[in-house]
Amino acid sequence: MMIIMICVGSSCCLKGAYELVELFKAAVASYGLDDEVTLAGNFCTGNCNRVGVTIQIDDKTFTGVTPAGFEVFFKENVLAPLGKL
Ligand code: FES
């Protein structure tokens, strides 16, 4: 099971964290990944930056993720590791 944690701290919220939550939910549903992926929110991990949102996938931390960059991010870091590409 892959665990995706999206930071919903105040800085990340301003950069589109909730929009990303919705994008993740929709993508997980449309690829039928409900049994393979768990989505969760978490609080500030001290990785805030000016570009975008902090997302942790299992033991990796990604910073600066934006709704505009979601599609590429999801392909590279979710679909590819799960062997869905
Ligand atoms: S608010 Fe998200 S890392 Fe700080």
Side-chain angles (χ1 to χ4, degrees):
M1 175 69 84
M2 175 186 273
I3 298 175
I4 301 174
M5 298 212 292
I6 301 154
C7 177
V8 292
S10 50
S11 168
C12 287
C13 281
L14 292 173
K15 314 278 179 343
Y18 282 100
E19 205 178 329
L20 281 167
V21 169
E22 294 307 319
L23 289 168
F24 270 103
K25 278 190 199 162
V28 165
S30 80
Y31 284 95
L33 301 176
D34 296 279
D35 293 339
E36 294 174 73
V37 171
T38 296
L39 286 176
N42 69 341
F43 294 106
C44 182
T45 50
N47 293 301
C48 320
N49 69 48
R50 278 177 286 165
V51 180
V53 177
T54 302
I55 293 180
Q56 284 171 264
I57 299 182
D58 295 331
D59 53 1
K60 286 190 213 150
T61 299
F62 302 90
T63 58
V65 183
T66 61
F70 173 78
E71 224 166 293
V72 171
F73 182 86
F74 192 80
K75 274 189 188 150
E76 285 178 359
N77 300 297
V78 180
L79 295 178
L82 292 174
K84 304 285 180 189
L85 279 185

